[in-house]
Amino acid sequence: MKQILLLGGTGWLGQTLARQGLERGHQVTALARGTGPFVLGVRAVVADRESPGAYEKVADTAWDLVIELTDRPRFAREAVGFLGEAAGNWVFVSSCSVYALQSEPEADETATTLEPLPDADDGEDADFGRAKSACEEASMRYRDGKALVIRPGLIGGPGDPSGRSTYWPLRFAERRDPVLVPKVPEGEAPVQIIDVRDLAAFILEAGLAGEHGYVNAVGEVHSLGQALDLAREAAAAVAASNGTPEPSRQLVGYEVSRMAEDQVNPWAGPTSLPLLLPQEDGYAGFARRSDARALQLGLRRRSLRQMFEDIVSTGEGLEVDSLCSGLTAAEEQLLVGRRGTSHGQMSPGVGV
Ligand SMILES: NC(=O)c1ccc[n+]([C@@H]2O[C@H](COP(=O)([O-])OP(=O)(O)OC[C@H]3O[C@@H](n4cnc5c(N)ncnc54)[C@H](OP(=O)(O)O)[C@@H]3O)[C@@H](O)[C@H]2O)c1
């Protein structure tokens, strides 16, 4: 049994780490304010990292592994300064947003990163990529390089609070025809999602194994068309196993060149086509990061189809209108009436 400290532990990934740590027989402590719930069985240490002495309550234990989840450089620096010397292993959960360029497909961990945020700019609204870059720098410096910096790409799976990975499978599961899908050339618009459960397992295993250095933690690359096919297949498979009627199957292709005029957003958020990348120059390498080092360190990934099935089975009855990303039923209907161009059954890709 190992002693694991989560600096965080009440968010989506933090809770998943806590559950898996407990399931593996470890003692898990989580330090957070508690704006989200602490997982049952975890030792909860309620503390505000803005306040002096925030780490004193966790200074009495010889931690085998500390997992830092913050995006605040000051928090990262103070925590590793206070606890870093005594801890056996240290993981900082960073992000692929630290990379300076998104233009090179298959770029690995040696790619140039953004300049770390200066101390004076630390705050809630700081530039996320530069803030994570400053947290990385502090973690490595205080630990003399003996830290593991994990850079996740887009995280998805059941319960995704952003709605980016859940919109399409839940939309197909709704049995409301037709489904508005973006028209993108066959094989284009990459999608690279790591399941939150696979990411948590990797963080715990690589962290406890004492790995260090930098590693991208990313999903397999699919085109958006393939991802939509998998989302629709997953919805159909869950309906078949439950003996419920077949879900939505009729598609309407939507010209993405009309998005600005229609005020439809790419990628995420309200009134959006989730997972569709901004159609801008310089994005050829986005969602196409190298996964070679992670696989070498033991990352195991379930298939995207499996992730989508789990999203549908665990999210049954959850309407897409309640998600943080995507089109509401009313918005979709409006766009179908105004912009829908061609109809068809699901086929490989989304060029209907
Ligand atoms: N979602 C993605 O696709 C994606 C992609 C790349 C990287 N990431 C990274 O993956 C991680 C996701 O973590 P997560 O899902 O667990 O959620 P999170 O919201 O990023 O977790 C932040 C944690 O810090 C705690 N916290 C915030 N302010 C605090 C304060 N003043 N004092 C004490 N604790 C404080 C929060 O707890 P309380 O609010 O309860 O205090 C929470 O547990 C993050 O590091 C994120 O940057 C995410």
Side-chain angles (χ1 to χ4, degrees), residues 13 17 68-69 91-99 102 109 128 132 136 148-156 164 192-196 198-200 202-203 214-219 286 289-290 294 299:
L13 174 60
L17 283 164
E68 168 67 274
L69 290 140
V91 171
F92 173 60
V93 180
S94 186
S95 166
C96 282
S97 301
V98 294
Y99 289 114
Q102 306 293 345
E109 291 81 359
F128 178 74
K132 282 287 198 189
E136 287 191 357
L148 179 63
V149 169
I150 297 188
R151 296 172 174 158
L154 176 62
I155 306 171
R164 289 172 293 193
Q192 191 176 33
I193 314 177
I194 177 119
D195 189 288
V196 69
D198 299 337
L199 174 61
F202 179 60
I203 292 171
Y214 302 87
V215 60
N216 297 333
V218 290
F286 191 87
R289 290 265 160 214
S290 167
L299 171 67

mmCIF file of all heavy atoms in Angstrom, residues 13 17 68-69 91-99 102 109 128 132 136 148-156 164 192-196 198-200 202-203 214-219 286 289-290 294 299:
data_model
loop_
_atom_site.group_PDB
_atom_site.id
_atom_site.type_symbol
_atom_site.label_atom_id
_atom_site.label_comp_id
_atom_site.label_asym_id
_atom_site.label_seq_id
_atom_site.Cartn_x
_atom_site.Cartn_y
_atom_site.Cartn_z
ATOM 1 N N LEU A 13 -10.827 14.536 -13.301
ATOM 2 C CA LEU A 13 -9.645 13.665 -13.318
ATOM 3 C C LEU A 13 -9.212 13.344 -11.890
ATOM 4 O O LEU A 13 -8.878 12.193 -11.586
ATOM 5 C CB LEU A 13 -8.498 14.341 -14.084
ATOM 6 C CG LEU A 13 -7.166 13.593 -14.055
ATOM 7 C CD1 LEU A 13 -7.271 12.204 -14.670
ATOM 8 C CD2 LEU A 13 -6.080 14.409 -14.772
ATOM 9 N N LEU A 17 -8.645 9.671 -10.354
ATOM 10 C CA LEU A 17 -7.381 9.240 -9.738
ATOM 11 C C LEU A 17 -7.630 8.701 -8.332
ATOM 12 O O LEU A 17 -7.063 7.669 -7.938
ATOM 13 C CB LEU A 17 -6.416 10.432 -9.658
ATOM 14 C CG LEU A 17 -5.717 10.832 -10.955
ATOM 15 C CD1 LEU A 17 -5.129 12.233 -10.825
ATOM 16 C CD2 LEU A 17 -4.617 9.826 -11.300
ATOM 17 N N GLU A 68 0.198 16.585 -8.664
ATOM 18 C CA GLU A 68 -0.183 18.006 -8.671
ATOM 19 C C GLU A 68 -1.053 18.276 -9.901
ATOM 20 O O GLU A 68 -0.655 17.991 -11.036
ATOM 21 C CB GLU A 68 1.103 18.849 -8.698
ATOM 22 C CG GLU A 68 0.931 20.316 -8.981
ATOM 23 C CD GLU A 68 0.201 21.079 -7.873
ATOM 24 O OE1 GLU A 68 -1.044 21.083 -7.931
ATOM 25 O OE2 GLU A 68 0.887 21.675 -7.003
ATOM 26 N N LEU A 69 -2.256 18.856 -9.668
ATOM 27 C CA LEU A 69 -3.210 19.072 -10.765
ATOM 28 C C LEU A 69 -3.444 20.548 -11.088
ATOM 29 O O LEU A 69 -4.304 20.877 -11.910
ATOM 30 C CB LEU A 69 -4.560 18.429 -10.403
ATOM 31 C CG LEU A 69 -4.535 16.898 -10.403
ATOM 32 C CD1 LEU A 69 -5.341 16.328 -9.255
ATOM 33 C CD2 LEU A 69 -5.018 16.342 -11.716
ATOM 34 N N VAL A 91 4.419 13.867 -9.689
ATOM 35 C CA VAL A 91 3.851 14.007 -11.042
ATOM 36 C C VAL A 91 3.182 15.363 -11.147
ATOM 37 O O VAL A 91 2.394 15.740 -10.263
ATOM 38 C CB VAL A 91 2.793 12.912 -11.332
ATOM 39 C CG1 VAL A 91 2.064 13.207 -12.645
ATOM 40 C CG2 VAL A 91 3.433 11.533 -11.411
ATOM 41 N N PHE A 92 3.495 16.091 -12.200
ATOM 42 C CA PHE A 92 2.724 17.293 -12.507
ATOM 43 C C PHE A 92 1.850 17.012 -13.732
ATOM 44 O O PHE A 92 2.365 16.635 -14.788
ATOM 45 C CB PHE A 92 3.628 18.505 -12.772
ATOM 46 C CG PHE A 92 2.829 19.681 -13.243
ATOM 47 C CD1 PHE A 92 1.836 20.219 -12.434
ATOM 48 C CD2 PHE A 92 3.000 20.203 -14.519
ATOM 49 C CE1 PHE A 92 1.033 21.261 -12.874
ATOM 50 C CE2 PHE A 92 2.199 21.253 -14.969
ATOM 51 C CZ PHE A 92 1.222 21.778 -14.143
ATOM 52 N N VAL A 93 0.533 17.193 -13.580
ATOM 53 C CA VAL A 93 -0.386 17.004 -14.706
ATOM 54 C C VAL A 93 -0.443 18.313 -15.481
ATOM 55 O O VAL A 93 -1.048 19.288 -15.038
ATOM 56 C CB VAL A 93 -1.791 16.575 -14.232
ATOM 57 C CG1 VAL A 93 -2.722 16.396 -15.434
ATOM 58 C CG2 VAL A 93 -1.710 15.287 -13.427
ATOM 59 N N SER A 94 0.223 18.328 -16.621
ATOM 60 C CA SER A 94 0.302 19.537 -17.439
ATOM 61 C C SER A 94 -0.730 19.468 -18.555
ATOM 62 O O SER A 94 -1.865 19.023 -18.346
ATOM 63 C CB SER A 94 1.739 19.683 -17.956
ATOM 64 O OG SER A 94 1.891 20.895 -18.627
ATOM 65 N N SER A 95 -0.342 19.818 -19.775
ATOM 66 C CA SER A 95 -1.277 19.843 -20.905
ATOM 67 C C SER A 95 -0.480 19.982 -22.199
ATOM 68 O O SER A 95 0.604 20.594 -22.202
ATOM 69 C CB SER A 95 -2.204 21.053 -20.761
ATOM 70 O OG SER A 95 -2.883 21.297 -21.974
ATOM 71 N N CYS A 96 -1.015 19.484 -23.295
ATOM 72 C CA CYS A 96 -0.391 19.720 -24.612
ATOM 73 C C CYS A 96 -0.507 21.192 -25.000
ATOM 74 O O CYS A 96 0.101 21.609 -25.996
ATOM 75 C CB CYS A 96 -1.028 18.827 -25.679
ATOM 76 S SG CYS A 96 -0.433 17.118 -25.605
ATOM 77 N N SER A 97 -1.274 21.978 -24.228
ATOM 78 C CA SER A 97 -1.352 23.422 -24.498
ATOM 79 C C SER A 97 -0.042 24.136 -24.208
ATOM 80 O O SER A 97 0.088 25.318 -24.496
ATOM 81 C CB SER A 97 -2.448 24.078 -23.652
ATOM 82 O OG SER A 97 -3.672 23.491 -23.917
ATOM 83 N N VAL A 98 0.928 23.450 -23.592
ATOM 84 C CA VAL A 98 2.223 24.112 -23.341
ATOM 85 C C VAL A 98 3.034 24.276 -24.624
ATOM 86 O O VAL A 98 3.981 25.056 -24.650
ATOM 87 C CB VAL A 98 3.125 23.364 -22.322
ATOM 88 C CG1 VAL A 98 2.523 23.369 -20.940
ATOM 89 C CG2 VAL A 98 3.455 21.962 -22.793
ATOM 90 N N TYR A 99 2.670 23.560 -25.689
ATOM 91 C CA TYR A 99 3.500 23.634 -26.895
ATOM 92 C C TYR A 99 3.292 24.959 -27.620
ATOM 93 O O TYR A 99 2.162 25.455 -27.738
ATOM 94 C CB TYR A 99 3.198 22.453 -27.821
ATOM 95 C CG TYR A 99 3.715 21.149 -27.242
ATOM 96 C CD1 TYR A 99 2.843 20.141 -26.862
ATOM 97 C CD2 TYR A 99 5.081 20.959 -27.042
ATOM 98 C CE1 TYR A 99 3.315 18.951 -26.316
ATOM 99 C CE2 TYR A 99 5.559 19.773 -26.483
ATOM 100 C CZ TYR A 99 4.682 18.781 -26.129
ATOM 101 O OH TYR A 99 5.151 17.615 -25.574
ATOM 102 N N GLN A 102 1.284 24.365 -33.043
ATOM 103 C CA GLN A 102 0.352 23.254 -33.264
ATOM 104 C C GLN A 102 0.423 22.821 -34.726
ATOM 105 O O GLN A 102 -0.508 22.217 -35.245
ATOM 106 C CB GLN A 102 -1.094 23.697 -32.935
ATOM 107 C CG GLN A 102 -1.287 24.277 -31.564
ATOM 108 C CD GLN A 102 -1.078 23.259 -30.456
ATOM 109 O OE1 GLN A 102 -1.048 22.054 -30.677
ATOM 110 N NE2 GLN A 102 -0.914 23.757 -29.227
ATOM 111 N N GLU A 109 7.861 15.194 -27.428
ATOM 112 C CA GLU A 109 8.019 16.013 -26.219
ATOM 113 C C GLU A 109 9.161 17.018 -26.319
ATOM 114 O O GLU A 109 9.287 17.890 -25.462
ATOM 115 C CB GLU A 109 8.238 15.099 -24.997
ATOM 116 C CG GLU A 109 7.021 14.278 -24.591
ATOM 117 C CD GLU A 109 6.811 13.014 -25.425
ATOM 118 O OE1 GLU A 109 7.608 12.755 -26.359
ATOM 119 O OE2 GLU A 109 5.841 12.292 -25.157
ATOM 120 N N PHE A 128 -3.474 29.950 -20.054
ATOM 121 C CA PHE A 128 -3.412 28.563 -19.561
ATOM 122 C C PHE A 128 -2.116 27.859 -19.968
ATOM 123 O O PHE A 128 -1.443 27.254 -19.135
ATOM 124 C CB PHE A 128 -4.635 27.799 -20.079
ATOM 125 C CG PHE A 128 -4.675 26.353 -19.689
ATOM 126 C CD1 PHE A 128 -4.975 25.979 -18.385
ATOM 127 C CD2 PHE A 128 -4.408 25.356 -20.623
ATOM 128 C CE1 PHE A 128 -5.012 24.631 -18.018
ATOM 129 C CE2 PHE A 128 -4.438 24.014 -20.265
ATOM 130 C CZ PHE A 128 -4.741 23.651 -18.963
ATOM 131 N N LYS A 132 0.741 26.648 -17.340
ATOM 132 C CA LYS A 132 1.166 25.246 -17.190
ATOM 133 C C LYS A 132 2.673 25.130 -17.433
ATOM 134 O O LYS A 132 3.353 24.342 -16.777
ATOM 135 C CB LYS A 132 0.395 24.357 -18.175
ATOM 136 C CG LYS A 132 -1.039 24.041 -17.746
ATOM 137 C CD LYS A 132 -1.086 23.040 -16.600
ATOM 138 C CE LYS A 132 -2.441 22.382 -16.422
ATOM 139 N NZ LYS A 132 -2.517 21.572 -15.186
ATOM 140 N N GLU A 136 5.345 23.525 -14.898
ATOM 141 C CA GLU A 136 6.291 22.471 -15.299
ATOM 142 C C GLU A 136 7.700 22.850 -14.857
ATOM 143 O O GLU A 136 8.432 22.040 -14.283
ATOM 144 C CB GLU A 136 6.307 22.303 -16.828
ATOM 145 C CG GLU A 136 5.095 21.633 -17.411
ATOM 146 C CD GLU A 136 5.306 21.250 -18.888
ATOM 147 O OE1 GLU A 136 6.383 21.577 -19.452
ATOM 148 O OE2 GLU A 136 4.398 20.630 -19.464
ATOM 149 N N LEU A 148 7.828 13.772 -12.988
ATOM 150 C CA LEU A 148 7.234 13.317 -14.244
ATOM 151 C C LEU A 148 6.181 14.343 -14.649
ATOM 152 O O LEU A 148 5.218 14.572 -13.912
ATOM 153 C CB LEU A 148 6.596 11.935 -14.068
ATOM 154 C CG LEU A 148 5.909 11.360 -15.312
ATOM 155 C CD1 LEU A 148 6.920 11.137 -16.447
ATOM 156 C CD2 LEU A 148 5.220 10.033 -14.975
ATOM 157 N N VAL A 149 6.391 14.958 -15.801
ATOM 158 C CA VAL A 149 5.441 15.944 -16.319
ATOM 159 C C VAL A 149 4.619 15.252 -17.396
ATOM 160 O O VAL A 149 5.153 14.863 -18.438
ATOM 161 C CB VAL A 149 6.190 17.167 -16.892
ATOM 162 C CG1 VAL A 149 5.231 18.057 -17.666
ATOM 163 C CG2 VAL A 149 6.870 17.949 -15.774
ATOM 164 N N ILE A 150 3.326 15.081 -17.107
ATOM 165 C CA ILE A 150 2.439 14.392 -18.048
ATOM 166 C C ILE A 150 1.606 15.445 -18.767
ATOM 167 O O ILE A 150 0.949 16.270 -18.121
ATOM 168 C CB ILE A 150 1.556 13.371 -17.300
ATOM 169 C CG1 ILE A 150 2.458 12.300 -16.677
ATOM 170 C CG2 ILE A 150 0.512 12.764 -18.234
ATOM 171 C CD1 ILE A 150 1.758 11.111 -16.062
ATOM 172 N N ARG A 151 1.639 15.412 -20.096
ATOM 173 C CA ARG A 151 0.921 16.417 -20.891
ATOM 174 C C ARG A 151 -0.262 15.773 -21.619
ATOM 175 O O ARG A 151 -0.103 15.254 -22.723
ATOM 176 C CB ARG A 151 1.874 17.030 -21.925
ATOM 177 C CG ARG A 151 3.024 17.812 -21.300
ATOM 178 C CD ARG A 151 4.048 18.220 -22.351
ATOM 179 N NE ARG A 151 5.076 19.087 -21.782
ATOM 180 C CZ ARG A 151 6.287 19.255 -22.315
ATOM 181 N NH1 ARG A 151 6.621 18.613 -23.435
ATOM 182 N NH2 ARG A 151 7.159 20.069 -21.752
ATOM 183 N N PRO A 152 -1.442 15.798 -20.987
ATOM 184 C CA PRO A 152 -2.599 15.214 -21.672
ATOM 185 C C PRO A 152 -3.027 16.077 -22.854
ATOM 186 O O PRO A 152 -2.901 17.308 -22.832
ATOM 187 C CB PRO A 152 -3.704 15.199 -20.605
ATOM 188 C CG PRO A 152 -3.022 15.492 -19.304
ATOM 189 C CD PRO A 152 -1.804 16.288 -19.650
ATOM 190 N N GLY A 153 -3.541 15.387 -23.881
ATOM 191 C CA GLY A 153 -4.276 16.087 -24.928
ATOM 192 C C GLY A 153 -5.711 16.219 -24.433
ATOM 193 O O GLY A 153 -5.965 16.254 -23.222
ATOM 194 N N LEU A 154 -6.669 16.239 -25.354
ATOM 195 C CA LEU A 154 -8.069 16.338 -24.943
ATOM 196 C C LEU A 154 -8.452 15.100 -24.120
ATOM 197 O O LEU A 154 -8.230 13.976 -24.550
ATOM 198 C CB LEU A 154 -8.970 16.445 -26.173
ATOM 199 C CG LEU A 154 -10.471 16.462 -25.879
ATOM 200 C CD1 LEU A 154 -10.869 17.655 -25.032
ATOM 201 C CD2 LEU A 154 -11.268 16.432 -27.175
ATOM 202 N N ILE A 155 -9.017 15.351 -22.932
ATOM 203 C CA ILE A 155 -9.457 14.248 -22.068
ATOM 204 C C ILE A 155 -10.957 14.043 -22.296
ATOM 205 O O ILE A 155 -11.732 15.006 -22.341
ATOM 206 C CB ILE A 155 -9.192 14.579 -20.580
ATOM 207 C CG1 ILE A 155 -7.717 14.951 -20.360
ATOM 208 C CG2 ILE A 155 -9.580 13.406 -19.692
ATOM 209 C CD1 ILE A 155 -7.406 15.498 -18.958
ATOM 210 N N GLY A 156 -11.365 12.777 -22.437
ATOM 211 C CA GLY A 156 -12.789 12.493 -22.660
ATOM 212 C C GLY A 156 -13.239 11.314 -21.820
ATOM 213 O O GLY A 156 -12.469 10.746 -21.058
ATOM 214 N N ARG A 164 -17.369 17.909 -24.617
ATOM 215 C CA ARG A 164 -16.766 17.755 -25.951
ATOM 216 C C ARG A 164 -16.790 16.313 -26.428
ATOM 217 O O ARG A 164 -17.070 16.045 -27.593
ATOM 218 C CB ARG A 164 -15.318 18.276 -25.933
ATOM 219 C CG ARG A 164 -15.231 19.769 -25.829
ATOM 220 C CD ARG A 164 -13.803 20.234 -25.624
ATOM 221 N NE ARG A 164 -13.275 19.833 -24.324
ATOM 222 C CZ ARG A 164 -12.152 20.306 -23.791
ATOM 223 N NH1 ARG A 164 -11.431 21.174 -24.463
ATOM 224 N NH2 ARG A 164 -11.742 19.909 -22.609
ATOM 225 N N GLN A 192 -8.202 13.396 -31.227
ATOM 226 C CA GLN A 192 -7.244 12.601 -30.442
ATOM 227 C C GLN A 192 -7.635 12.726 -28.965
ATOM 228 O O GLN A 192 -7.225 13.656 -28.285
ATOM 229 C CB GLN A 192 -5.820 13.124 -30.689
ATOM 230 C CG GLN A 192 -4.724 12.236 -30.164
ATOM 231 C CD GLN A 192 -3.321 12.754 -30.511
ATOM 232 O OE1 GLN A 192 -3.090 13.949 -30.584
ATOM 233 N NE2 GLN A 192 -2.372 11.842 -30.698
ATOM 234 N N ILE A 193 -8.460 11.797 -28.500
ATOM 235 C CA ILE A 193 -9.025 11.901 -27.146
ATOM 236 C C ILE A 193 -8.480 10.789 -26.261
ATOM 237 O O ILE A 193 -8.542 9.622 -26.619
ATOM 238 C CB ILE A 193 -10.571 11.758 -27.166
ATOM 239 C CG1 ILE A 193 -11.196 12.614 -28.267
ATOM 240 C CG2 ILE A 193 -11.158 12.116 -25.815
ATOM 241 C CD1 ILE A 193 -12.717 12.447 -28.380
ATOM 242 N N ILE A 194 -7.985 11.172 -25.088
ATOM 243 C CA ILE A 194 -7.563 10.153 -24.117
ATOM 244 C C ILE A 194 -8.673 9.973 -23.089
ATOM 245 O O ILE A 194 -9.203 10.952 -22.558
ATOM 246 C CB ILE A 194 -6.221 10.519 -23.439
ATOM 247 C CG1 ILE A 194 -5.839 9.485 -22.371
ATOM 248 C CG2 ILE A 194 -6.225 11.887 -22.777
ATOM 249 C CD1 ILE A 194 -4.567 8.800 -22.628
ATOM 250 N N ASP A 195 -9.042 8.712 -22.851
ATOM 251 C CA ASP A 195 -10.091 8.428 -21.877
ATOM 252 C C ASP A 195 -9.571 8.752 -20.469
ATOM 253 O O ASP A 195 -8.450 8.378 -20.103
ATOM 254 C CB ASP A 195 -10.490 6.953 -21.954
ATOM 255 C CG ASP A 195 -11.723 6.657 -21.124
ATOM 256 O OD1 ASP A 195 -11.634 6.665 -19.864
ATOM 257 O OD2 ASP A 195 -12.787 6.430 -21.715
ATOM 258 N N VAL A 196 -10.400 9.446 -19.693
ATOM 259 C CA VAL A 196 -9.987 9.888 -18.352
ATOM 260 C C VAL A 196 -9.545 8.711 -17.486
ATOM 261 O O VAL A 196 -8.633 8.829 -16.669
ATOM 262 C CB VAL A 196 -11.129 10.695 -17.677
ATOM 263 C CG1 VAL A 196 -12.330 9.812 -17.331
ATOM 264 C CG2 VAL A 196 -10.637 11.446 -16.457
ATOM 265 N N ASP A 198 -8.148 5.835 -18.567
ATOM 266 C CA ASP A 198 -6.832 5.364 -19.023
ATOM 267 C C ASP A 198 -5.742 6.341 -18.589
ATOM 268 O O ASP A 198 -4.636 5.940 -18.234
ATOM 269 C CB ASP A 198 -6.815 5.228 -20.549
ATOM 270 C CG ASP A 198 -7.840 4.208 -21.040
ATOM 271 O OD1 ASP A 198 -8.229 3.321 -20.248
ATOM 272 O OD2 ASP A 198 -8.273 4.308 -22.200
ATOM 273 N N LEU A 199 -6.075 7.629 -18.629
ATOM 274 C CA LEU A 199 -5.103 8.642 -18.200
ATOM 275 C C LEU A 199 -4.791 8.473 -16.713
ATOM 276 O O LEU A 199 -3.629 8.500 -16.299
ATOM 277 C CB LEU A 199 -5.666 10.046 -18.484
ATOM 278 C CG LEU A 199 -4.829 11.211 -17.972
ATOM 279 C CD1 LEU A 199 -3.441 11.237 -18.605
ATOM 280 C CD2 LEU A 199 -5.544 12.550 -18.242
ATOM 281 N N ALA A 200 -5.831 8.282 -15.899
ATOM 282 C CA ALA A 200 -5.621 8.126 -14.452
ATOM 283 C C ALA A 200 -4.747 6.910 -14.168
ATOM 284 O O ALA A 200 -3.814 6.970 -13.354
ATOM 285 C CB ALA A 200 -6.962 8.007 -13.731
ATOM 286 N N PHE A 202 -2.554 5.546 -16.091
ATOM 287 C CA PHE A 202 -1.186 5.841 -16.540
ATOM 288 C C PHE A 202 -0.459 6.733 -15.539
ATOM 289 O O PHE A 202 0.704 6.495 -15.194
ATOM 290 C CB PHE A 202 -1.250 6.504 -17.920
ATOM 291 C CG PHE A 202 0.096 6.879 -18.478
ATOM 292 C CD1 PHE A 202 1.065 5.910 -18.707
ATOM 293 C CD2 PHE A 202 0.395 8.201 -18.782
ATOM 294 C CE1 PHE A 202 2.314 6.252 -19.228
ATOM 295 C CE2 PHE A 202 1.637 8.549 -19.298
ATOM 296 C CZ PHE A 202 2.602 7.576 -19.521
ATOM 297 N N ILE A 203 -1.145 7.756 -15.045
ATOM 298 C CA ILE A 203 -0.521 8.673 -14.071
ATOM 299 C C ILE A 203 -0.082 7.898 -12.833
ATOM 300 O O ILE A 203 1.038 8.048 -12.339
ATOM 301 C CB ILE A 203 -1.508 9.803 -13.687
ATOM 302 C CG1 ILE A 203 -1.751 10.735 -14.889
ATOM 303 C CG2 ILE A 203 -1.003 10.600 -12.485
ATOM 304 C CD1 ILE A 203 -2.881 11.747 -14.680
ATOM 305 N N TYR A 214 9.321 14.206 -19.485
ATOM 306 C CA TYR A 214 8.101 14.759 -20.082
ATOM 307 C C TYR A 214 7.436 13.697 -20.949
ATOM 308 O O TYR A 214 8.121 12.976 -21.676
ATOM 309 C CB TYR A 214 8.451 15.971 -20.958
ATOM 310 C CG TYR A 214 9.171 17.064 -20.198
ATOM 311 C CD1 TYR A 214 10.559 17.036 -20.072
ATOM 312 C CD2 TYR A 214 8.460 18.090 -19.584
ATOM 313 C CE1 TYR A 214 11.232 18.018 -19.355
ATOM 314 C CE2 TYR A 214 9.129 19.076 -18.861
ATOM 315 C CZ TYR A 214 10.515 19.033 -18.749
ATOM 316 O OH TYR A 214 11.175 20.001 -18.038
ATOM 317 N N VAL A 215 6.122 13.633 -20.896
ATOM 318 C CA VAL A 215 5.436 12.648 -21.742
ATOM 319 C C VAL A 215 4.044 13.157 -22.141
ATOM 320 O O VAL A 215 3.278 13.637 -21.307
ATOM 321 C CB VAL A 215 5.367 11.257 -21.034
ATOM 322 C CG1 VAL A 215 4.627 11.314 -19.707
ATOM 323 C CG2 VAL A 215 4.733 10.218 -21.943
ATOM 324 N N ASN A 216 3.754 13.061 -23.441
ATOM 325 C CA ASN A 216 2.399 13.362 -23.924
ATOM 326 C C ASN A 216 1.504 12.186 -23.551
ATOM 327 O O ASN A 216 1.906 11.033 -23.719
ATOM 328 C CB ASN A 216 2.367 13.482 -25.453
ATOM 329 C CG ASN A 216 3.217 14.615 -25.971
ATOM 330 O OD1 ASN A 216 3.440 15.600 -25.270
ATOM 331 N ND2 ASN A 216 3.688 14.489 -27.207
ATOM 332 N N ALA A 217 0.300 12.468 -23.091
ATOM 333 C CA ALA A 217 -0.660 11.390 -22.820
ATOM 334 C C ALA A 217 -1.876 11.676 -23.697
ATOM 335 O O ALA A 217 -2.746 12.477 -23.340
ATOM 336 C CB ALA A 217 -1.040 11.368 -21.347
ATOM 337 N N VAL A 218 -1.880 11.047 -24.850
ATOM 338 C CA VAL A 218 -2.894 11.379 -25.869
ATOM 339 C C VAL A 218 -3.571 10.115 -26.382
ATOM 340 O O VAL A 218 -3.034 9.019 -26.255
ATOM 341 C CB VAL A 218 -2.244 12.131 -27.060
ATOM 342 C CG1 VAL A 218 -1.816 13.533 -26.643
ATOM 343 C CG2 VAL A 218 -1.064 11.355 -27.626
ATOM 344 N N GLY A 219 -4.748 10.306 -26.983
ATOM 345 C CA GLY A 219 -5.492 9.180 -27.545
ATOM 346 C C GLY A 219 -4.982 8.833 -28.934
ATOM 347 O O GLY A 219 -4.084 9.483 -29.472
ATOM 348 N N PHE A 286 -2.281 19.826 -34.532
ATOM 349 C CA PHE A 286 -3.180 19.768 -33.374
ATOM 350 C C PHE A 286 -3.913 18.432 -33.417
ATOM 351 O O PHE A 286 -4.358 17.985 -34.464
ATOM 352 C CB PHE A 286 -4.177 20.933 -33.438
ATOM 353 C CG PHE A 286 -4.962 21.108 -32.177
ATOM 354 C CD1 PHE A 286 -4.485 21.883 -31.137
ATOM 355 C CD2 PHE A 286 -6.193 20.485 -32.016
ATOM 356 C CE1 PHE A 286 -5.211 22.047 -29.966
ATOM 357 C CE2 PHE A 286 -6.925 20.635 -30.856
ATOM 358 C CZ PHE A 286 -6.429 21.422 -29.834
ATOM 359 N N ARG A 289 -0.470 14.681 -31.879
ATOM 360 C CA ARG A 289 0.773 14.649 -31.097
ATOM 361 C C ARG A 289 1.322 13.224 -31.025
ATOM 362 O O ARG A 289 0.546 12.263 -30.984
ATOM 363 C CB ARG A 289 0.487 15.116 -29.661
ATOM 364 C CG ARG A 289 0.174 16.572 -29.558
ATOM 365 C CD ARG A 289 1.403 17.392 -29.225
ATOM 366 N NE ARG A 289 1.159 18.776 -29.610
ATOM 367 C CZ ARG A 289 2.086 19.601 -30.067
ATOM 368 N NH1 ARG A 289 3.323 19.201 -30.219
ATOM 369 N NH2 ARG A 289 1.772 20.837 -30.387
ATOM 370 N N SER A 290 2.610 13.109 -30.938
ATOM 371 C CA SER A 290 3.233 11.780 -30.810
ATOM 372 C C SER A 290 2.844 11.122 -29.480
ATOM 373 O O SER A 290 2.870 11.765 -28.429
ATOM 374 C CB SER A 290 4.750 11.928 -30.876
ATOM 375 O OG SER A 290 5.353 10.717 -30.468
ATOM 376 N N ALA A 294 4.667 7.699 -24.371
ATOM 377 C CA ALA A 294 3.647 7.192 -23.436
ATOM 378 C C ALA A 294 3.457 5.689 -23.611
ATOM 379 O O ALA A 294 3.366 4.943 -22.626
ATOM 380 C CB ALA A 294 2.331 7.929 -23.645
ATOM 381 N N LEU A 299 1.422 3.225 -21.313
ATOM 382 C CA LEU A 299 0.031 3.696 -21.463
ATOM 383 C C LEU A 299 -0.800 2.643 -22.204
ATOM 384 O O LEU A 299 -0.417 2.177 -23.267
ATOM 385 C CB LEU A 299 0.009 5.018 -22.252
ATOM 386 C CG LEU A 299 -1.387 5.521 -22.670
ATOM 387 C CD1 LEU A 299 -2.219 5.924 -21.455
ATOM 388 C CD2 LEU A 299 -1.274 6.705 -23.635
#
